Amino acid sequence: MKNDGFLRIAAATPHIRVADCVSNKAAISALLRAANEQGVSAIVFPELCLTGYTCGDLFHDTTLLQAAERALQELIEESASYHLLAVVGLPAAFGASLYNVAAVFCRGKLLGLTAKSHIPNYSEFYEARHFSPAPDTPIPVTFCGQETLLGRERIYSCADAPEFTVGVEICEDLWVPEPPSSRMAQCGATVLLNPSASDEVIGKANYRRSLVRDQSARLFCAYAYADAGEGESSTDLVFAGHDLLAENGAILAESQPFTTGLVTAEVDLQRLVQERRRANTWADRFGGPAPIPFSLSLPDLTLTRPFARLPFVPQDAQDLSGRCEMILHLQASGLKTRLAHTGVQHAVVGLSGGLDSTLALLVTVRAFDALSLPRKGILAVTMPGFGTTGRTKGNAEKLAELLGVDFCTVPIGDAVSGHFQDIGHDPTVHDVTYENAQARERTQILMDLANQNGGLVIGTGDLSELALGWATYNGDHMSMYAVNASVPKTLVRHLVHYAAQQSGGALCEVLEDILDTPVSPELLPPVDGVISQKTESLVGPYELHDFFLYHMLRFGFPPSKIYRMALRTFSGTYDAATIYKWLYTFYRRFFAQQFKRSCLPDGPKVGTVALSPRGDWRMPSDASARLWLEELEALSIE
């Protein structure tokens, strides 16, 4: 689909005058024109907005009904030059019945009339006094000089972009136990439009917002809700014009109370379709009425929609604290269950003084505390090698002491040097053999110490490293339980920071210094005692890789779309060439390193994105990256 699936939609509340169709048409016309200029492809106006919702018994007056039809006809004619689909509410009489309808039109053509199915007649509502519910089967009618169908649950599909399929329900239809939108979505509608006239009373806005948000989540859809506002009669009610735009459980935009005008947002139809395909409990409905086709040239969009820079990390501080506590609890609970099941009361953690091993130790301590096991049953092992600095080694010692766990130091320099001599490797050549020999020696030590103590080796590697294959095969990528396996690097940092804030004192100081230490495997000799090997200089910034990983695995987005989203998100931080370089690196490494993920140890899933070969990600180790890399190579770098 053009624009990588992004589509701009709008909800609009015009300032109306009750029963003044000429004035109301002019107000709607101005908003239609503004929407078209802003690249909106679908717009919905409030229920009965051409007449006003609060006309009362005037709805039976022929003069009003004819004026509303004339006004709609003028709007339809004006729309001939617009590249958008519009939904406008008005009363329409056919035979002995009067219907509350939403007229759906596009480029000068009246596509259909969706009539309201559920007519409220309780509390302040008395619509049954005037309106009949939608007929069970569509009926052919002539309206505004055009032949069309009037009915319920009609859907409209764009011939130029099949993902752009629209369903319409009116106000109360959303509030009932089985909304028509549920069936329309199952028949293919990805965009649901609701012309509404919901009066305002205390507490109703929150309920309305929840209703729209939750329906968009259940249906994996975009939902636009246009509410009546200024100009409606205030004889008994007040209308606030509460317009809402939601997508898949998130409110993208909403109007301020008691205002009029346009509310716009970009929705991602490609994401919605992917979500439906991903959920095998989603069931399409077949055999219903054929969608009504319309043709629309989608405008080129300059994205204004924000994307989370750190998609794995909540942006709200309170949400972040709650998320961190929950993740630590999930990690510790997973390890606790494994320890209880095996009857093991000892654990071994390789403690480097870096972020990942720090988090693994914090989780292990939590699990032991939950089982009422003594912390001395945890053995933290630091294994200084050729690249270890005094800073990281010192932090490892302090951390183990402050947490009250057992601690030992096992230098690996002599053992690795002896191994180099055994295999005939020149130790002055700092190649992959030089680095990986250290990682494998450390894993051997941990495994042997675990055997000596009757314990489990706790893995420290995180999700980002697994995605990039930034781990030594049969080295640090192997353990007996990998507590960090589904925690991305950008989130590891926040978890350790949360633990620091919760602890305070000397432990907080150590954790904050660990947070301030550059991410490094420390496999190359330091320079003047300072870490010389910085991971992000070699494989790229983790905030970029986690962004790529999230959108690739969570939504199956193609490289070109992820690149476009990254350009917008990281503008001012990374230039286009840098983003492209690391995105290409990400795909190349992700495919090439699958063999390491195919034999991962067990570990707890904590988020929606994980790479366990037993559950979330099953990919052949010899899958080709050609299609993805060729798509990137075809891009024009901005």
Side-chain angles (χ1 to χ4, degrees):
M1 180 180 174
K2 187 177 180 180
N3 293 316
D4 296 311
F6 292 108
L7 186 86
R8 189 167 292 145
I9 65 172
T13 298
H15 190 150
I16 69 154
R17 297 180 64 188
V18 176
D20 187 346
C21 298
V22 175
S23 176
N24 298 342
K25 177 263 171 183
I28 294 168
S29 179
L31 291 173
L32 267 179
R33 183 166 56 254
N36 184 66
E37 291 170 354
Q38 294 177 32
V40 169
S41 295
I43 184 170
V44 58
F45 290 87
E47 180 181 12
L48 297 168
C49 61
L50 269 174
T51 58
Y53 177 78
T54 49
C55 285
D57 287 345
L58 287 174
F59 283 127
H60 289 305
D61 192 283
T62 302
T63 299
L64 182 69
L65 298 179
Q66 290 176 344
E69 184 175 357
R70 285 196 303 271
L72 176 63
Q73 184 170 353
E74 292 173 10
L75 288 173
I76 294 171
E77 291 169 355
E78 290 177 14
S79 75
S81 61
Y82 296 161
H83 290 279
L84 54 73
L85 177 141
V87 175
V88 174
L90 75 160
F94 299 99
S97 297
L98 178 65
Y99 299 101
N100 178 345
V101 305
V104 183
F105 58 95
C106 177
R107 307 209 65 193
K109 182 177 180 181
L110 178 60
L111 300 175
L113 297 172
T114 293
K116 191 170 186 176
S117 296
H118 299 87
I119 307 299
N121 217 55
Y122 58 88
S123 299
E124 65 266 40
F125 303 108
Y126 53 93
E127 288 186 34
R129 179 181 176 94
H130 310 114
F131 298 109
S132 299
D136 291 331
T137 58
I139 57 175
V141 297
T142 300
F143 201 65
C144 296
Q146 299 188 37
E147 293 182 358
T148 189
L149 292 173
L150 178 142
R152 66 177 74 197
E153 299 178 18
R154 308 295 294 165
I155 62 174
Y156 308 86
S157 183
C158 181
D160 309 281
E163 300 97 333
F164 179 22
T165 300
V166 177
V168 180
E169 62 185 357
I170 303 174
C171 199
E172 185 77 8
D173 291 343
L174 173 62
W175 301 64
V176 300
E178 296 183 22
S181 52
S182 298
R183 293 182 289 275
M184 289 187 285
Q186 288 182 288
C187 288
T190 54
V191 178
L192 279 302
L193 305 179
N194 188 323
S196 181
S198 177
D199 61 307
E200 208 61 49
V201 293
I202 294 298
K204 194 171 184 179
N206 287 336
Y207 184 80
R208 185 188 300 116
R209 185 182 299 110
S210 297
L211 203 61
V212 170
R213 181 184 61 236
D214 294 349
Q215 188 70 343
S216 76
R218 279 191 294 271
L219 303 182
F220 302 115
C221 73
Y223 202 104
Y225 184 97
D227 192 20
E230 285 289 317
E232 290 286 357
S233 173
S234 60
T235 301
D236 292 301
L237 307 174
V238 174
F239 296 83
H242 188 197
D243 295 345
L244 294 155
L245 300 177
E247 177 193 272
N248 197 30
I251 298 294
L252 300 182
E254 64 180 302
S255 62
Q256 290 296 316
F258 306 103
T259 60
T260 57
L262 283 173
V263 176
T264 67
E266 287 130 31
V267 296
D268 188 347
L269 302 187
Q270 189 178 79
R271 172 186 174 183
L272 298 173
V273 172
Q274 289 288 89
E275 288 282 54
R276 291 179 181 181
R277 289 173 181 165
R278 182 172 173 268
N280 69 342
T281 51
W282 176 267
D284 288 329
R285 294 167 67 100
F286 300 100
I292 300 165
F294 65 95
S295 183
L296 193 63
S297 177
L298 300 180
D300 292 326
L301 282 184
T302 298
L303 291 180
T304 60
R305 173 175 175 160
F307 304 101
R309 188 185 185 98
L310 302 176
F312 292 103
V313 181
Q315 298 179 50
D316 180 82
Q318 187 171 353
D319 288 347
L320 178 58
S321 294
R323 180 77 60 86
C324 288
E325 179 60 36
M326 175 58 76
I327 291 171
L328 289 168
H329 189 81
L330 286 169
Q331 291 177 278
S333 180
L335 179 57
K336 171 189 168 185
T337 300
R338 179 54 54 93
L339 291 168
H341 174 73
T342 57
V344 168
Q345 299 186 13
H346 293 84
V348 178
V349 181
L351 191 61
S352 68
L355 279 172
D356 290 345
S357 62
T358 295
L359 177 59
L361 181 58
L362 292 170
V363 169
T364 305
V365 167
R366 276 187 169 229
F368 269 63
D369 290 349
L371 288 167
S372 299
L373 294 175
R375 292 188 180 184
K376 286 297 182 180
I378 304 169
L379 175 60
V381 188
T382 186
M383 295 163 283
F386 304 133
T388 304
T389 61
R391 180 182 185 181
T392 53
K393 184 175 183 294
N395 279 336
E397 293 173 354
K398 293 176 189 175
L399 183 63
E401 179 184 356
L402 291 168
L403 290 175
V405 303
D406 203 3
F407 180 79
C408 73
T409 301
V410 182
I412 65 170
D414 290 345
V416 175
S417 294
H419 179 61
F420 287 160
Q421 186 173 357
D422 290 340
I423 65 173
H425 183 73
D426 183 353
T428 64
V429 178
H430 297 167
D431 57 5
V432 67
T433 303
Y434 180 89
E435 296 185 34
N436 285 349
Q438 297 174 70
R440 292 193 178 100
E441 177 62 24
R442 285 171 173 151
T443 300
Q444 175 177 273
I445 289 169
L446 294 174
M447 291 290 181
D448 290 344
L449 286 172
N451 289 160
Q452 283 185 339
N453 291 274
L456 300 180
V457 174
I458 308 304
T460 61
D462 63 55
L463 178 66
S464 307
E465 293 177 342
L466 294 173
L468 295 168
W470 191 249
T472 300
Y473 194 76
N474 200 34
D476 56 310
H477 117 291
M478 188 48 60
S479 65
M480 296 169 182
Y481 196 74
V483 293
N484 296 340
S486 65
V487 183
K489 184 74 77 176
T490 50
L491 187 54
V492 169
R493 179 172 295 279
H494 288 277
L495 289 168
V496 173
H497 179 63
Y498 171 78
Q501 291 179 315
Q502 296 298 305
S503 58
L507 179 55
C508 177
E509 292 179 9
V510 173
L511 292 174
E512 290 293 348
D513 193 61
I514 290 171
L515 283 163
D516 194 47
T517 304
V519 177
S520 171
E522 291 193 312
L523 297 174
L524 296 180
V527 176
D528 298 327
V530 178
I531 292 172
S532 64
Q533 186 185 26
K534 298 180 180 179
T535 298
E536 291 181 291
S537 298
L538 299 170
V539 295
Y542 275 116
E543 64 176 347
L544 283 180
H545 286 306
D546 283 357
F547 186 89
F548 304 154
L549 175 66
Y550 179 81
H551 292 288
M552 176 197 172
L553 261 65
R554 181 65 181 82
F555 303 116
F557 288 162
S560 57
K561 179 171 183 172
I562 295 174
Y563 174 67
R564 181 182 185 185
M565 294 165 65
L567 284 178
R568 167 153 177 74
T569 303
F570 296 97
S571 175
T573 304
Y574 304 105
D575 60 25
T578 300
I579 292 172
Y580 178 87
K581 170 187 174 182
W582 294 123
L583 181 56
Y584 195 96
T585 298
F586 171 81
Y587 275 99
R588 179 180 56 79
R589 292 190 66 97
F590 186 87
F591 276 82
Q593 301 295 308
Q594 171 62 24
F595 73 97
K596 294 180 182 178
R597 299 188 290 267
S598 294
C599 57
L600 286 177
D602 293 348
K605 178 179 179 178
V606 301
T608 57
V609 175
L611 287 169
S612 167
R614 293 166 294 278
D616 288 271
W617 189 251
R618 301 178 187 183
M619 168 182 163
S621 297
D622 48 7
S624 171
R626 177 178 177 175
L627 294 177
W628 291 262
L629 298 181
E630 285 183 349
E631 181 174 322
L632 282 172
E633 290 162 3
L635 289 176
S636 175
I637 307 303
E638 298 179 6

